Amino acid sequence: MTDNALRPEIRLRIKLQPQIIIGPGKADILAGIRETGSISATGRLMSMSYKRIWQLVNQMNHEYCEPLVFTSTGGPHGGGATLTPTGEKVLKVYEKIIASAYKAISKEIGTLRKLTVNTPPGLGH
């Protein structure tokens, strides 16, 4: 069993202002664009429509001091999408927040895990 298989899922949404939220969905979109270089491929990975991904990208691009995603329109070689330096920074900060949260709650998660019926072998009661 890998370390990730033992790691519980944490879903953090961070509200900086009423309309500005970074959470797992938007972070996954940014990571998908970083990985694929494409809004449509990110939509396929996330089982979301191109239109919905584009709406969220557009929203993020207007919520920060600089756009998070740069897009280029199609043509003979197709379009694409890349994270801007600000997009990379937002994603890295969010990932660091998640890692810090895991570290901060690891003891309590261990206590909860020991109290569950389906404790994985080796973690014992």
Side-chain angles (χ1 to χ4, degrees):
M1 196 175 283
T2 67
D3 196 33
N4 282 342
L6 298 176
R7 195 174 206 184
E9 178 183 3
I10 295 177
R11 298 183 56 81
L12 286 175
R13 289 184 334 153
I14 301 165
K15 279 189 158 185
L16 301 175
Q17 295 177 16
Q19 74 277 14
I20 300 177
I21 299 174
I22 183 75
K26 289 180 179 177
D28 286 349
I29 289 170
L30 294 175
I33 289 170
R34 180 175 60 191
E35 181 182 321
T36 67
S38 166
I39 290 175
S40 57
T42 298
R44 288 189 296 275
L45 283 174
M46 297 181 67
S47 299
M48 292 175 70
S49 71
Y50 174 88
K51 181 179 178 183
R52 182 64 182 141
I53 297 286
W54 173 249
Q55 288 170 338
L56 291 166
V57 165
N58 190 44
Q59 181 182 8
M60 286 187 282
N61 277 349
H62 288 92
E63 289 175 339
Y64 289 86
C65 61
E66 298 175 4
L68 304 188
V69 177
F70 173 76
T71 59
S72 58
T73 56
H77 304 291
T82 57
L83 296 187
T84 64
T86 302
E88 286 284 353
K89 186 169 187 172
V90 166
L91 183 56
K92 284 180 184 178
V93 167
Y94 183 78
E95 290 170 341
K96 188 173 183 177
I97 289 168
I98 295 296
S100 295
Y102 276 114
K103 185 176 179 181
I105 66 170
S106 63
K107 181 179 176 184
E108 289 78 9
I109 291 297
T111 300
L112 284 176
R113 191 182 306 275
K114 290 176 184 177
L115 296 171
T116 64
V117 174
N118 296 316
T119 301
L123 294 180
H125 284 277

